Coordinates of all heavy atoms in Angstrom, one line a residue:
M993 N 162.6 43.0 30.4 CA 161.3 43.5 30.2 C 160.6 42.7 29.2 O 161.1 42.4 28.1 CB 161.4 45.0 29.8 CG 160.0 45.6 29.5 SD 160.3 47.4 29.2 CE 158.6 47.9 29.1
S994 N 159.3 42.4 29.4 CA 158.6 41.6 28.5 C 157.6 42.4 27.7 O 157.3 43.6 28.1 CB 157.8 40.4 29.2 OG 156.8 41.0 30.0
F995 N 157.0 41.9 26.7 CA 155.9 42.6 25.9 C 154.7 42.9 26.9 O 154.1 43.9 26.8 CB 155.5 41.8 24.7 CG 154.5 42.5 23.8 CD1 154.9 43.6 23.1 CD2 153.2 42.1 23.8 CE1 154.0 44.3 22.3 CE2 152.3 42.8 23.0 CZ 152.7 43.9 22.2
G996 N 154.5 41.9 27.8 CA 153.4 42.1 28.7 C 153.6 43.4 29.6 O 152.7 44.1 30.0
D997 N 154.9 43.6 30.0 CA 155.3 44.8 30.8 C 155.0 46.0 30.0 O 154.5 47.0 30.5 CB 156.8 44.7 31.1 CG 157.1 43.6 32.1 OD1 156.2 43.3 33.0 OD2 158.2 43.2 32.1
F998 N 155.3 46.0 28.7 CA 155.1 47.2 27.8 C 153.6 47.5 27.8 O 153.1 48.6 27.8 CB 155.6 47.0 26.4 CG 155.2 48.0 25.4 CD1 155.7 49.3 25.5 CD2 154.2 47.7 24.5 CE1 155.3 50.3 24.6 CE2 153.8 48.7 23.6 CZ 154.3 50.0 23.6
L999 N 152.8 46.4 27.7 CA 151.3 46.6 27.6 C 150.7 47.3 28.8 O 149.6 47.8 28.8 CB 150.6 45.3 27.2 CG 150.9 44.8 25.8 CD1 150.2 43.4 25.7 CD2 150.4 45.7 24.8
K1000 N 151.4 47.2 29.9 CA 150.9 47.8 31.2 C 151.0 49.3 31.1 O 150.3 50.0 31.8 CB 151.7 47.3 32.4 CG 151.5 45.8 32.7 CD 152.4 45.4 33.8 CE 152.3 43.9 34.0 NZ 153.2 43.4 35.0
A1001 N 151.8 49.8 30.3 CA 152.0 51.3 30.1 C 150.8 51.8 29.3 O 150.7 51.5 28.1 CB 153.3 51.6 29.4
D1002 N 150.0 52.6 29.9 CA 148.8 53.2 29.3 C 149.2 54.6 28.8 O 149.0 55.6 29.5 CB 147.6 53.2 30.2 CG 146.3 53.6 29.6 OD1 146.3 53.8 28.3 OD2 145.3 53.6 30.3
I1003 N 149.6 54.7 27.5 CA 150.1 55.9 26.9 C 148.9 56.4 26.0 O 148.5 55.7 25.1 CB 151.4 55.7 26.1 CG1 152.5 55.3 27.1 CG2 151.8 57.0 25.4 CD1 153.8 54.9 26.4
R1004 N 148.5 57.6 26.2 CA 147.3 58.2 25.5 C 147.6 59.6 25.0 O 148.4 60.3 25.5 CB 146.1 58.2 26.4 CG 145.7 56.8 26.8 CD 144.3 56.8 27.5 NE 144.0 55.4 27.9 CZ 143.2 54.6 27.2 NH1 142.6 55.0 26.1 NH2 142.9 53.4 27.6
A1005 N 146.9 59.9 23.9 CA 147.0 61.3 23.4 C 145.9 62.1 24.0 O 144.8 61.7 24.4 CB 146.7 61.2 21.9
G1006 N 146.3 63.4 24.3 CA 145.4 64.3 24.8 C 145.7 65.7 24.3 O 146.8 66.0 23.9
T1007 N 144.7 66.6 24.4 CA 144.9 68.0 23.9 C 145.1 68.9 25.1 O 144.3 68.9 26.1 CB 143.6 68.4 23.1 OG1 143.5 67.6 22.0 CG2 143.8 69.9 22.6
V1008 N 146.1 69.7 25.1 CA 146.4 70.7 26.1 C 145.3 71.8 26.1 O 145.1 72.4 25.1 CB 147.8 71.3 26.0 CG1 148.0 72.4 27.0 CG2 148.9 70.3 26.0
K1009 N 144.6 71.9 27.2 CA 143.5 73.0 27.3 C 144.0 74.2 27.9 O 143.5 75.3 27.6 CB 142.3 72.4 28.1 CG 141.7 71.2 27.4 CD 141.1 71.7 26.1 CE 140.4 70.6 25.4 NZ 140.0 71.0 24.0
S1010 N 145.0 74.1 28.8 CA 145.6 75.3 29.4 C 147.0 75.0 29.8 O 147.4 73.9 30.1 CB 144.8 75.8 30.6 OG 144.9 74.9 31.7
C1011 N 147.8 76.1 29.9 CA 149.2 76.0 30.3 C 149.5 77.3 31.0 O 149.3 78.4 30.6 CB 150.1 75.9 29.0 SG 151.8 76.0 29.4
S1012 N 150.0 77.1 32.3 CA 150.4 78.3 33.1 C 151.7 78.1 33.7 O 152.1 76.9 34.0 CB 149.3 78.6 34.1 OG 149.1 77.4 34.9
P1013 N 152.5 79.1 34.0 CA 153.7 79.0 34.7 C 153.5 78.4 36.0 O 152.5 78.5 36.7 CB 154.2 80.4 34.8 CG 153.5 81.2 33.8 CD 152.1 80.5 33.7
F1014 N 154.5 77.7 36.5 CA 154.5 77.0 37.8 C 155.7 77.5 38.6 O 156.7 76.9 38.8 CB 154.6 75.5 37.6 CG 154.4 74.6 38.8 CD1 153.9 75.1 40.0 CD2 154.8 73.3 38.7 CE1 153.8 74.3 41.1 CE2 154.7 72.5 39.8 CZ 154.1 73.0 41.0
P1015 N 155.5 78.7 39.2 CA 156.6 79.3 39.9 C 157.1 78.6 41.2 O 158.2 78.8 41.6 CB 156.1 80.7 40.3 CG 154.6 80.6 40.2 CD 154.3 79.5 39.2
A1016 N 156.2 77.8 41.8 CA 156.6 77.0 43.0 C 157.5 75.8 42.7 O 158.0 75.2 43.6 CB 155.3 76.6 43.7
A1017 N 157.6 75.4 41.4 CA 158.4 74.3 41.1 C 159.9 74.6 41.3 O 160.4 75.7 41.2 CB 158.2 73.9 39.6
R1018 N 160.7 73.5 41.7 CA 162.1 73.7 41.9 C 162.8 74.0 40.5 O 163.8 74.7 40.5 CB 162.7 72.4 42.5 CG 162.4 72.3 43.9 CD 163.1 71.1 44.5 NE 162.2 69.9 44.3 CZ 162.6 68.7 44.1 NH1 163.9 68.4 44.0 NH2 161.8 67.7 43.9
K1019 N 162.4 73.4 39.4 CA 163.0 73.6 38.1 C 161.9 74.3 37.3 O 160.7 74.0 37.5 CB 163.4 72.3 37.4 CG 164.5 71.7 38.1 CD 164.9 70.4 37.4 CE 166.1 69.7 38.1 NZ 166.5 68.5 37.4
P1020 N 162.2 75.2 36.4 CA 161.2 75.9 35.6 C 160.2 74.9 34.9 O 160.6 73.9 34.3 CB 162.0 76.6 34.5 CG 163.4 76.8 35.1 CD 163.6 75.6 36.0
S1021 N 158.9 75.1 35.2 CA 157.9 74.2 34.7 C 156.6 74.9 34.4 O 156.4 76.1 34.8 CB 157.6 73.2 35.8 OG 158.7 72.4 36.2
Y1022 N 155.7 74.2 33.7 CA 154.4 74.6 33.4 C 153.4 73.7 34.1 O 153.7 72.5 34.3 CB 154.0 74.6 31.9 CG 154.8 75.5 31.1 CD1 155.4 75.1 29.9 CD2 155.0 76.9 31.4 CE1 156.1 75.9 29.1 CE2 155.7 77.7 30.6 CZ 156.3 77.2 29.4 OH 157.0 78.1 28.6
I1023 N 152.2 74.2 34.4 CA 151.1 73.3 34.8 C 150.2 73.2 33.6 O 149.7 74.2 33.1 CB 150.3 73.9 36.0 CG1 151.2 74.1 37.2 CG2 149.1 73.0 36.3 CD1 150.6 74.9 38.3
L1024 N 150.1 71.9 33.1 CA 149.3 71.7 31.9 C 148.0 71.0 32.4 O 148.0 70.2 33.2 CB 150.0 70.7 31.0 CG 151.4 71.1 30.5 CD1 152.0 70.0 29.6 CD2 151.3 72.4 29.7
T1025 N 146.9 71.5 31.8 CA 145.6 70.8 31.9 C 145.3 70.2 30.6 O 145.3 70.9 29.5 CB 144.5 71.8 32.3 OG1 144.9 72.5 33.5 CG2 143.2 71.1 32.5
I1026 N 145.2 68.8 30.6 CA 145.1 68.1 29.3 C 143.8 67.3 29.3 O 143.4 66.6 30.3 CB 146.3 67.1 29.2 CG1 147.6 67.9 29.4 CG2 146.3 66.4 27.9 CD1 148.8 67.0 29.7
D1027 N 143.1 67.3 28.2 CA 141.9 66.6 27.9 C 142.2 65.3 27.2 O 142.6 65.3 26.1 CB 140.9 67.4 27.1 CG 139.5 66.8 27.0 OD1 139.3 65.6 27.4 OD2 138.7 67.4 26.3
F1028 N 141.9 64.2 27.9 CA 142.1 62.8 27.4 C 140.8 62.2 27.0 O 140.7 61.0 26.8 CB 142.8 61.9 28.4 CG 144.3 62.3 28.6 CD1 144.6 63.1 29.7 CD2 145.3 62.0 27.7 CE1 145.9 63.5 29.9 CE2 146.6 62.4 27.9 CZ 146.9 63.2 29.0
G1029 N 139.8 63.0 26.8 CA 138.5 62.5 26.4 C 137.8 61.6 27.4 O 138.3 61.5 28.5
P1030 N 136.8 60.8 27.0 CA 136.1 59.9 27.9 C 137.0 58.8 28.5 O 136.8 58.3 29.6 CB 135.0 59.3 27.1 CG 135.0 60.0 25.8 CD 136.2 60.8 25.7
A1031 N 138.1 58.5 27.8 CA 139.0 57.4 28.3 C 139.7 57.7 29.6 O 139.8 56.9 30.5 CB 140.0 57.1 27.2
A1032 N 140.1 59.0 29.8 CA 140.8 59.3 31.0 C 140.5 60.7 31.6 O 141.0 61.1 32.6 CB 142.4 59.2 30.7
G1033 N 139.6 61.4 30.9 CA 139.1 62.7 31.4 C 140.2 63.8 31.3 O 141.1 63.7 30.6
I1034 N 139.9 64.8 32.1 CA 140.8 66.0 32.2 C 141.8 65.8 33.4 O 141.4 65.5 34.5 CB 140.0 67.3 32.3 CG1 139.2 67.4 31.1 CG2 141.0 68.4 32.5 CD1 138.5 68.7 30.8
R1035 N 143.1 65.9 33.0 CA 144.1 65.7 34.1 C 145.1 66.8 34.0 O 145.3 67.5 33.0 CB 144.9 64.4 33.8 CG 144.0 63.1 33.6 CD 143.8 62.4 34.9 NE 143.1 61.1 34.6 CZ 143.7 59.9 34.6 NH1 145.0 59.8 34.9 NH2 143.0 58.9 34.4
K1036 N 145.8 67.0 35.1 CA 146.9 68.0 35.3 C 148.3 67.3 35.3 O 148.4 66.2 35.7 CB 146.7 68.8 36.5 CG 145.6 69.8 36.5 CD 145.6 70.7 37.7 CE 144.5 71.7 37.6 NZ 144.5 72.6 38.7
S1037 N 149.2 68.1 34.8 CA 150.6 67.6 34.8 C 151.6 68.8 35.0 O 151.4 69.8 34.4 CB 151.0 66.9 33.5 OG 152.3 66.3 33.6
A1038 N 152.6 68.6 35.8 CA 153.7 69.5 35.9 C 154.7 69.1 34.9 O 155.2 67.9 35.0 CB 154.3 69.5 37.3
A1039 N 155.1 70.0 34.0 CA 156.0 69.6 32.9 C 157.2 70.5 32.8 O 157.0 71.7 32.7 CB 155.2 69.6 31.6
Q1040 N 158.4 70.0 32.8 CA 159.6 70.8 32.7 C 159.9 70.9 31.2 O 160.9 70.3 30.7 CB 160.7 70.1 33.5 CG 160.5 70.0 34.9 CD 161.6 69.2 35.7 OE1 162.5 68.8 35.1 NE2 161.3 69.1 37.0
V1041 N 159.2 71.7 30.5 CA 159.3 71.9 29.1 C 159.4 73.4 28.7 O 159.2 73.7 27.5 CB 158.2 71.2 28.3 CG1 158.2 69.7 28.5 CG2 156.8 71.8 28.7
T1042 N 159.8 74.2 29.6 CA 159.8 75.6 29.4 C 160.9 76.1 28.4 O 160.8 77.2 27.8 CB 160.0 76.4 30.7 OG1 161.2 76.0 31.3 CG2 158.9 76.1 31.6
E1043 N 162.0 75.3 28.2 CA 163.1 75.8 27.4 C 162.7 75.7 25.9 O 163.2 76.5 25.1 CB 164.3 75.0 27.6 CG 164.9 75.3 29.0 CD 166.2 74.5 29.2 OE1 167.1 74.5 28.3 OE2 166.4 73.9 30.2
R1044 N 161.9 74.8 25.5 CA 161.6 74.5 24.1 C 160.1 74.8 23.7 O 159.7 74.8 22.5 CB 161.9 73.1 23.7 CG 163.3 72.7 23.8 CD 164.1 73.4 22.7 NE 165.5 73.1 22.8 CZ 166.5 74.0 22.9 NH1 166.2 75.2 23.0 NH2 167.7 73.6 23.0
H1045 N 159.3 75.1 24.7 CA 157.8 75.3 24.4 C 157.3 76.6 25.2 O 157.6 76.7 26.4 CB 157.0 74.1 24.9 CG 157.4 72.9 24.2 ND1 157.0 72.6 22.9 CD2 158.1 71.8 24.6 CE1 157.5 71.4 22.5 NE2 158.2 70.9 23.6
A1046 N 156.6 77.4 24.5 CA 155.9 78.6 25.1 C 154.5 78.2 25.4 O 153.9 77.4 24.7 CB 156.0 79.8 24.1
P1047 N 153.9 78.8 26.5 CA 152.6 78.4 26.8 C 151.6 78.6 25.7 O 150.7 77.7 25.5 CB 152.3 79.4 28.0 CG 153.6 79.7 28.6 CD 154.5 79.7 27.4
D1048 N 151.6 79.7 24.9 CA 150.7 79.9 23.9 C 150.8 78.8 22.8 O 149.8 78.5 22.1 CB 150.9 81.3 23.2 CG 150.4 82.4 24.2 OD1 149.7 82.1 25.1 OD2 150.8 83.5 23.9
D1049 N 152.0 78.2 22.6 CA 152.2 77.2 21.6 C 151.7 75.9 22.0 O 151.4 75.0 21.2 CB 153.7 77.1 21.2 CG 154.2 78.3 20.6 OD1 153.5 79.1 19.9 OD2 155.5 78.5 20.7
L1050 N 151.5 75.7 23.3 CA 151.1 74.4 23.9 C 149.6 74.2 23.9 O 149.0 73.1 23.7 CB 151.6 74.2 25.3 CG 153.1 73.9 25.3 CD1 153.6 73.8 26.8 CD2 153.5 72.7 24.6
V1051 N 148.8 75.3 24.1 CA 147.4 75.2 24.2 C 146.8 74.8 22.8 O 147.2 75.4 21.8 CB 146.8 76.6 24.6 CG1 145.2 76.5 24.6 CG2 147.2 76.9 26.1
G1052 N 146.1 73.8 22.8 CA 145.5 73.2 21.6 C 146.4 72.1 20.9 O 145.9 71.5 20.0
R1053 N 147.6 71.9 21.4 CA 148.5 70.9 20.9 C 148.1 69.5 21.5 O 147.9 69.4 22.7 CB 149.9 71.3 21.2 CG 150.9 70.2 20.8 CD 152.3 70.6 21.1 NE 153.2 69.5 20.8 CZ 154.4 69.6 20.6 NH1 155.0 70.8 20.7 NH2 155.2 68.6 20.3
Q1054 N 148.2 68.5 20.7 CA 148.1 67.1 21.2 C 149.4 66.7 21.7 O 150.5 66.9 21.1 CB 147.6 66.2 20.2 CG 146.1 66.2 20.1 CD 145.5 64.9 19.4 OE1 146.1 64.5 18.4 NE2 144.5 64.4 19.9
V1055 N 149.4 66.0 22.9 CA 150.6 65.5 23.5 C 150.3 64.0 23.9 O 149.2 63.6 23.8 CB 151.0 66.3 24.8 CG1 151.4 67.7 24.4 CG2 149.9 66.3 25.8
M1056 N 151.4 63.3 24.2 CA 151.3 61.9 24.7 C 151.7 61.9 26.2 O 152.6 62.6 26.6 CB 152.1 61.0 23.9 CG 151.7 60.9 22.4 SD 152.5 59.6 21.5 CE 154.2 59.8 21.8
A1057 N 150.9 61.1 26.9 CA 151.2 61.0 28.3 C 150.9 59.6 28.9 O 150.1 58.9 28.4 CB 150.4 62.0 29.1
L1058 N 151.7 59.2 29.9 CA 151.4 58.0 30.6 C 150.4 58.3 31.6 O 150.6 59.1 32.5 CB 152.7 57.5 31.3 CG 152.7 56.2 31.9 CD1 152.3 55.0 31.0 CD2 154.1 55.9 32.5
V1059 N 149.2 57.7 31.5 CA 148.1 58.1 32.3 C 147.8 57.1 33.5 O 146.9 57.4 34.3 CB 146.8 58.3 31.5 CG1 147.0 59.3 30.4 CG2 146.3 57.0 30.9
N1060 N 148.5 56.0 33.6 CA 148.2 55.1 34.7 C 149.2 55.0 35.8 O 149.3 54.0 36.5 CB 147.8 53.7 34.1 CG 149.0 53.0 33.4 OD1 149.9 53.7 32.9 ND2 149.0 51.7 33.4
L1061 N 150.0 56.0 35.9 CA 150.8 56.1 37.1 C 150.1 56.7 38.3 O 149.1 57.5 38.1 CB 152.0 57.0 36.8 CG 153.1 56.5 35.9 CD1 154.1 57.6 35.6 CD2 153.8 55.3 36.4
P1062 N 150.5 56.4 39.5 CA 149.8 57.1 40.6 C 150.0 58.6 40.6 O 151.1 59.0 40.1 CB 150.5 56.4 41.9 CG 151.2 55.2 41.4 CD 151.5 55.4 39.9
A1063 N 149.1 59.3 41.0 CA 149.2 60.8 41.1 C 150.4 61.1 42.0 O 150.7 60.4 43.0 CB 147.9 61.4 41.6
R1064 N 151.1 62.2 41.8 CA 152.3 62.6 42.5 C 152.2 64.1 43.0 O 151.9 64.9 42.1 CB 153.5 62.4 41.7 CG 154.8 62.7 42.3 CD 155.9 62.4 41.4 NE 157.1 62.8 42.0 CZ 158.3 62.9 41.5 NH1 158.4 62.4 40.2 NH2 159.4 63.3 42.1
Q1065 N 152.4 64.3 44.2 CA 152.4 65.7 44.7 C 153.7 66.4 44.2 O 154.8 65.9 44.3 CB 152.5 65.7 46.2 CG 152.3 67.1 46.9 CD 150.9 67.5 46.8 OE1 150.0 66.8 47.1 NE2 150.7 68.8 46.5
T1066 N 153.5 67.5 43.5 CA 154.6 68.3 43.0 C 154.4 69.7 43.5 O 153.6 70.5 42.9 CB 154.6 68.2 41.4 OG1 154.6 66.9 41.0 CG2 155.8 68.9 40.8
G1067 N 155.0 70.0 44.6 CA 154.8 71.3 45.2 C 153.3 71.4 45.6 O 152.8 70.5 46.2
P1068 N 152.7 72.5 45.3 CA 151.3 72.7 45.7 C 150.2 72.0 44.8 O 149.1 72.0 45.1 CB 151.1 74.2 45.7 CG 152.0 74.7 44.6 CD 153.2 73.7 44.7
I1069 N 150.7 71.3 43.7 CA 149.7 70.7 42.9 C 149.9 69.2 42.9 O 151.0 68.7 43.2 CB 149.7 71.2 41.4 CG1 150.9 70.7 40.6 CG2 149.6 72.7 41.3 CD1 150.6 70.6 39.2
I1070 N 148.9 68.5 42.4 CA 149.0 67.0 42.2 C 149.1 66.8 40.7 O 148.2 67.1 39.9 CB 147.8 66.3 42.8 CG1 147.9 66.5 44.3 CG2 147.9 64.8 42.4 CD1 146.8 65.8 45.1
S1071 N 150.3 66.2 40.3 CA 150.5 65.8 38.9 C 149.9 64.5 38.7 O 150.3 63.5 39.3 CB 152.0 65.8 38.6 OG 152.2 65.8 37.2
E1072 N 148.9 64.4 37.7 CA 148.1 63.2 37.6 C 148.6 62.3 36.4 O 148.2 61.1 36.3 CB 146.7 63.6 37.3 CG 146.1 64.3 38.5 CD 144.7 64.9 38.2 OE1 144.7 65.8 37.3 OE2 143.8 64.6 38.9
V1073 N 149.4 62.9 35.5 CA 149.9 62.1 34.3 C 151.4 62.5 34.1 O 151.8 63.6 34.5 CB 149.1 62.3 33.0 CG1 147.7 61.9 33.2 CG2 149.1 63.8 32.6
L1074 N 152.1 61.7 33.4 CA 153.5 62.0 33.0 C 153.5 62.3 31.5 O 153.3 61.4 30.7 CB 154.4 60.8 33.4 CG 155.9 60.9 33.0 CD1 156.5 62.1 33.7 CD2 156.6 59.7 33.2
V1075 N 153.7 63.5 31.2 CA 153.8 63.9 29.8 C 155.1 63.5 29.3 O 156.1 63.6 29.9 CB 153.6 65.5 29.7 CG1 153.7 65.9 28.2 CG2 152.3 65.9 30.3
L1076 N 155.1 63.0 28.0 CA 156.3 62.4 27.4 C 157.0 63.3 26.5 O 156.3 64.1 25.7 CB 155.9 61.1 26.7 CG 155.2 60.0 27.6 CD1 154.8 58.8 26.7 CD2 156.1 59.6 28.7
G1077 N 158.3 63.2 26.4 CA 159.1 64.0 25.5 C 160.5 63.4 25.4 O 160.8 62.4 26.0
F1078 N 161.3 64.1 24.6 CA 162.6 63.7 24.3 C 163.6 64.8 24.6 O 163.3 66.0 24.2 CB 162.8 63.3 22.8 CG 161.9 62.1 22.4 CD1 160.7 62.3 21.9 CD2 162.4 60.8 22.6 CE1 159.9 61.3 21.5 CE2 161.6 59.8 22.3 CZ 160.3 60.0 21.7
A1079 N 164.7 64.5 25.3 CA 165.7 65.6 25.6 C 166.5 65.8 24.4 O 166.9 64.8 23.7 CB 166.5 65.2 26.8
D1080 N 166.8 67.0 24.0 CA 167.7 67.3 22.9 C 169.1 67.3 23.4 O 169.4 67.0 24.5 CB 167.3 68.5 22.1 CG 167.4 69.8 23.0 OD1 168.1 69.8 24.0 OD2 166.7 70.8 22.5
E1081 N 170.0 67.7 22.5 CA 171.5 67.7 22.8 C 171.8 68.6 24.0 O 172.8 68.3 24.7 CB 172.3 68.1 21.6 CG 172.0 69.4 21.0 CD 170.8 69.5 20.2 OE1 170.2 68.5 19.7 OE2 170.3 70.6 19.9
S1082 N 171.0 69.6 24.3 CA 171.3 70.5 25.5 C 170.6 70.0 26.7 O 170.7 70.6 27.8 CB 170.8 71.9 25.1 OG 169.4 72.0 25.1
G1083 N 169.7 69.0 26.6 CA 169.0 68.5 27.8 C 167.6 69.0 27.9 O 166.8 68.6 28.7
A1084 N 167.2 70.0 27.0 CA 165.9 70.6 27.0 C 164.9 69.6 26.4 O 165.2 68.9 25.5 CB 165.9 71.9 26.2
V1085 N 163.7 69.5 27.0 CA 162.7 68.5 26.6 C 161.8 69.1 25.5 O 161.2 70.1 25.6 CB 161.9 68.0 27.8 CG1 160.8 67.0 27.3 CG2 162.8 67.3 28.8
R1086 N 161.6 68.3 24.4 CA 160.6 68.5 23.4 C 159.5 67.5 23.5 O 159.8 66.3 23.6 CB 161.3 68.4 22.0 CG 162.3 69.5 21.7 CD 162.9 69.4 20.3 NE 163.9 70.3 20.1 CZ 163.7 71.5 19.6 NH1 162.5 71.9 19.3 NH2 164.7 72.4 19.5
L1087 N 158.3 68.0 23.6 CA 157.2 67.1 23.9 C 157.0 66.1 22.7 O 157.1 66.5 21.5 CB 155.9 67.9 24.1 CG 155.8 68.6 25.5 CD1 154.6 69.5 25.5 CD2 155.8 67.6 26.6
A1088 N 156.6 64.9 23.0 CA 156.2 63.9 22.0 C 154.8 64.1 21.6 O 153.9 64.5 22.4 CB 156.4 62.5 22.6
G1089 N 154.5 63.9 20.4 CA 153.1 64.0 19.9 C 152.9 63.1 18.7 O 153.7 62.2 18.4
T1090 N 151.9 63.4 17.9 CA 151.6 62.7 16.7 C 151.7 63.6 15.5 O 151.6 64.8 15.6 CB 150.2 62.1 16.8 OG1 149.2 63.2 16.8 CG2 150.0 61.2 18.0
D1091 N 151.9 63.0 14.3 CA 152.0 63.8 13.1 C 150.6 64.0 12.5 O 150.5 64.8 11.6 CB 153.0 63.2 12.1 CG 152.6 61.8 11.7 OD1 151.7 61.2 12.3 OD2 153.2 61.3 10.7
V1092 N 149.6 63.4 13.0 CA 148.2 63.6 12.6 C 147.4 63.7 13.9 O 147.7 63.2 14.9 CB 147.7 62.4 11.8 CG1 148.4 62.4 10.4 CG2 147.7 61.1 12.5
T1093 N 146.2 64.4 13.8 CA 145.3 64.5 15.0 C 144.6 63.2 15.2 O 144.1 62.6 14.2 CB 144.3 65.6 14.7 OG1 145.0 66.8 14.5 CG2 143.4 65.8 15.9
V1094 N 144.6 62.7 16.4 CA 143.9 61.5 16.8 C 142.8 61.9 17.8 O 142.9 62.9 18.4 CB 144.8 60.4 17.3 CG1 145.8 60.0 16.2 CG2 145.6 60.9 18.5
P1095 N 141.8 61.0 18.1 CA 140.9 61.4 19.1 C 141.5 61.5 20.5 O 142.4 60.7 20.8 CB 139.9 60.2 19.1 CG 140.1 59.6 17.7 CD 141.5 59.8 17.4
D1096 N 141.1 62.4 21.3 CA 141.6 62.5 22.6 C 141.3 61.2 23.4 O 140.2 60.7 23.3 CB 141.0 63.7 23.4 CG 141.6 65.1 22.9 OD1 142.7 65.1 22.4 OD2 140.9 66.1 23.0
G1097 N 142.3 60.7 24.0 CA 142.2 59.5 24.7 C 142.6 58.3 23.9 O 142.7 57.1 24.5
A1098 N 143.0 58.5 22.7 CA 143.5 57.3 21.8 C 144.7 56.7 22.5 O 145.6 57.5 23.0 CB 143.8 57.8 20.4
R1099 N 144.8 55.4 22.6 CA 145.9 54.7 23.2 C 146.9 54.4 22.2 O 146.7 54.0 21.1 CB 145.4 53.4 23.9 CG 146.4 52.8 24.7 CD 145.9 51.6 25.5 NE 147.0 51.1 26.3 CZ 146.9 50.2 27.2 NH1 145.8 49.7 27.6 NH2 148.0 49.7 27.9
L1100 N 148.2 54.6 22.6 CA 149.3 54.2 21.8 C 149.3 52.7 21.6 O 149.1 51.9 22.5 CB 150.6 54.5 22.5 CG 151.9 54.2 21.7 CD1 152.0 55.1 20.5 CD2 153.1 54.4 22.6
A1101 N 149.3 52.2 20.3 CA 149.2 50.8 20.0 C 150.5 50.3 19.5 O 151.3 51.0 19.0 CB 148.1 50.6 19.0

C-alpha cells in the first residue's frame, strides 16, 4: 500500500442526526442518518454498533466515516457510507470520533 492509496480514502466527520433500530438486519444494527455538511451531504449507514452505543447517545455525536465507497444494499436500505470504529476485546464496536468538534464534512488529514 502506498501513501497515494491512503489518500484515496475519503474519511470525513459528520454529525448523527437520527438513529433507529434496524430489525431487518441479519446482525443487530442501527440505521444512522449522518450530516456531512456541504462536502458530502446527508447520508445513511447501517451500523453494527448496538452493543456499545444506545440510539439516544448517538444522536448529536460526531462520527467518522468513509464516504467514497459505492453505496451498498443492506436489506431494505441502501448504506451510503461506512461508519468507522474499533472492536473491543469482546468484538463489540465502539465508534471512532474526534476529541474536539470539527465542521461537518471535515476530511481526515
Side-chain angles (χ1 to χ4, degrees):
M993 179 175 188
S994 71
F995 186 69
D997 291 331
F998 170 74
L999 291 176
K1000 292 177 187 175
D1002 190 0
I1003 299 171
R1004 295 188 183 261
T1007 300
V1008 176
K1009 295 300 183 185
S1010 69
C1011 175
S1012 57
F1014 186 14
R1018 284 185 273 144
K1019 294 182 180 179
S1021 302
Y1022 296 132
I1023 299 170
L1024 304 178
T1025 302
I1026 307 165
D1027 184 358
F1028 292 98
I1034 297 191
R1035 309 267 188 104
K1036 286 188 178 179
S1037 183
Q1040 296 175 5
V1041 297
T1042 60
E1043 291 184 48
R1044 296 287 181 240
H1045 300 283
D1048 291 343
D1049 296 333
L1050 291 175
V1051 175
R1053 178 182 172 156
Q1054 274 198 319
V1055 296
M1056 295 190 311
L1058 186 58
V1059 300
N1060 64 332
L1061 288 176
R1064 179 177 175 188
Q1065 187 77 42
T1066 306
I1069 75 151
I1070 295 180
S1071 192
E1072 301 168 300
V1073 298
L1074 177 64
V1075 178
L1076 304 176
F1078 298 93
D1080 64 17
E1081 60 281 344
S1082 72
V1085 176
R1086 294 181 183 270
L1087 288 172
T1090 64
D1091 59 350
V1092 297
T1093 302
V1094 297
D1096 286 335
R1099 186 172 182 172
L1100 181 69

